[in-house]
């Protein structure tokens, strides 16, 4: 099985959106409402938005596994690379796939001259927080973010020096 992460192509967009829904439904119901899950999935994985990001050199997406088992998305924001998404299919978690996807994003961010990587993670998502700490991230801020439409995110902001 070849789990080496690769940059995604337009043909991967549908598989990523489907995988996102699967992982979100396995992760977020204890943490955020179903309405918020549906809203965020529809917004963040809209095909048009993903196509735009594929054409934008400030964004990069990776996929791993066939069939798709995990994906990551990062984008450049000034001196910081934001790790916007890191998701692994539940039956493939804890086998190093998240670490491999993160390594691909870190390599890319270093090539772009970024000094640090930043992410947000729900304060109740203990499994992901444990993973990020293991990868070397540290909490730099914790607060509630208003994301509009009546929804909020109660997040840690974590950073990794590159
Ligand atoms: C967080 C996530 C991306 C990590 O990817 P992964 O492939 O499962 O993790 P790795 O195999 O790279 O393991 C890294 C570490 O994460 C922690 N971890 C991962 N799954 C865990 C679990 N079920 N229980 C406890 N610790 C866990 C461990 O510290 C692990 O290291 P170890 O196995 O040597 O102890 C993945 O678990 C995931 O997709 N979770 C659900 C979605 C999510 O919350 N994404 C992050 C959104 S901000």
């Amino acid at each position: 099985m070849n789990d080496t992460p690769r940059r995604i192509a337009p043909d991967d967009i549908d598989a990523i959106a489907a995988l996102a829904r699967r992982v979100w439904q396995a992760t977020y119901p204890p943490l955020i409402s179903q309405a918020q899950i549906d809203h965020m999935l529809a917004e963040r994985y809209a095909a048009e938005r993903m196509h735009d990001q594929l054409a934008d050199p400030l964004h990069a997406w990776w996929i791993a596994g066939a069939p798709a088992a995990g994906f990551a998305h990062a984008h450049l924001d000034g001196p910081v690379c934001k790790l916007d998404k890191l998701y692994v299919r539940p039956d493939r978690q804890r086998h190093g796939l998240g670490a491999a996807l993160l390594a691909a994003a870190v390599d890319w961010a270093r090539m772009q001259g970024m000094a640090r990587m930043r992410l947000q993670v729900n304060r109740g998502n203990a499994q992901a927080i444990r993973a990020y700490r293991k990868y070397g991230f540290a909490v730099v801020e914790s607060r509630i973010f208003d994301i509009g439409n009546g929804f909020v995110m109660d997040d840690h902001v974590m950073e990794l020096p590159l």
Side-chain angles (χ1 to χ4, degrees), residues 23 27-28 86-88 92-99 120-121 125 127-128 130-132 134-135:
V23 185
T27 305
Y28 290 120
L86 181 65
Y87 292 98
V88 174
R92 299 291 309 278
Q93 289 174 7
R94 214 164 182 181
H95 290 93
L97 213 48
Q120 283 180 225
V121 56
N125 191 348
Q127 176 176 319
R130 206 171 297 135
Y132 291 134
K134 177 155 191 206
Y135 301 148

Side-chain angles (χ1 to χ4, degrees), residues 5 11 29 31 35 41 49-50 71 76 86 88 90 93 104-105 111-112 135 139 141 146 148 151 156 162:
D11 280 356
L31 303 173
L41 282 171
R49 179 168 175 164
M50 291 180 68
F71 64 91
L76 309 183
L86 181 65
V88 174
Q93 289 174 7
M111 297 261 292
Q112 314 298 318
Y135 301 148
V139 174
E141 189 187 358
D146 185 338
F151 299 124
H156 288 312
L162 295 174

